[in-house]
Amino acid sequence: MADCLFCKIAAGQIPAAIVHQDERLVAFKDVNPQAPMHVLIIPRRHISTLNDLADSDDALAGEMIRRAASLAREQGYEGRGYRTVFNCNADAGQTVFHVHLHVLGGRKLTWPPG
Ligand code: AMP
Ligand code: ZN
């Protein structure tokens, strides 16, 4: 999608601190980190929100989740823990409308979230 920030990051048109990329996914550091590890995992293909995932995206969603676990493991957070979050639409505070999985680790995270 022409005007989408995360599509531009996936295409290399806007710089980002990329920590993983493959045919379907890109993972990069959040520019405003909320924890020592704060990575966003996006599909290369534009999908606006979690509501827009189709049955045919099940494998893609699984890859995003498994990549989150893999990146957290690489940082040594497998045992102590970390959090994964999909914000969807206004009440959850979604600000970028290209679906992304937040991966936060390295500090004690409170529950419930604000
Ligand atoms: P959300 O509120 O769930 O839509 O999250 C959007 C996230 O994107 C926020 O945590 C922002 O800090 C992050 N963000 C916005 N612009 C950039 C950027 N250019 N590079 C990396 N992260 C970004
Ligand atoms: Zn996009």
Side-chain angles (χ1 to χ4, degrees):
M1 180 171 280
D3 240 9
C4 171
L5 175 64
F6 287 177
C7 280
K8 287 179 180 164
I9 286 177
Q13 292 164 1
I14 288 180
I18 291 173
V19 297
H20 171 84
Q21 54 183 329
D22 59 40
E23 274 177 36
R24 286 168 299 279
L25 305 181
V26 180
F28 51 94
K29 294 183 181 177
D30 195 294
V31 77
N32 182 24
Q34 301 301 311
M37 175 189 186
H38 188 173
V39 165
L40 304 174
I41 301 173
I42 64 168
R44 286 191 182 276
R45 176 163 56 88
H46 183 86
I47 300 170
S48 297
T49 80
L50 208 56
N51 294 332
D52 302 303
L53 286 174
D55 288 357
S56 55
D57 293 322
D58 284 359
L60 181 69
E63 282 181 38
M64 292 174 74
I65 293 165
R66 287 189 14 88
R67 182 56 58 188
S70 169
L71 291 170
R73 189 180 307 120
E74 280 174 28
Q75 297 299 311
Y77 300 143
E78 180 179 18
R80 62 183 282 197
Y82 55 93
R83 185 168 293 166
T84 53
V85 176
F86 285 104
N87 289 323
C88 182
N89 283 337
D91 272 5
Q94 184 175 3
T95 58
V96 179
F97 288 84
H98 179 130
V99 77
H100 50 280
L101 180 57
H102 294 258
V103 189
L104 299 131
R107 69 173 173 85
K108 180 80 178 164
L109 298 160
T110 57
W111 190 265

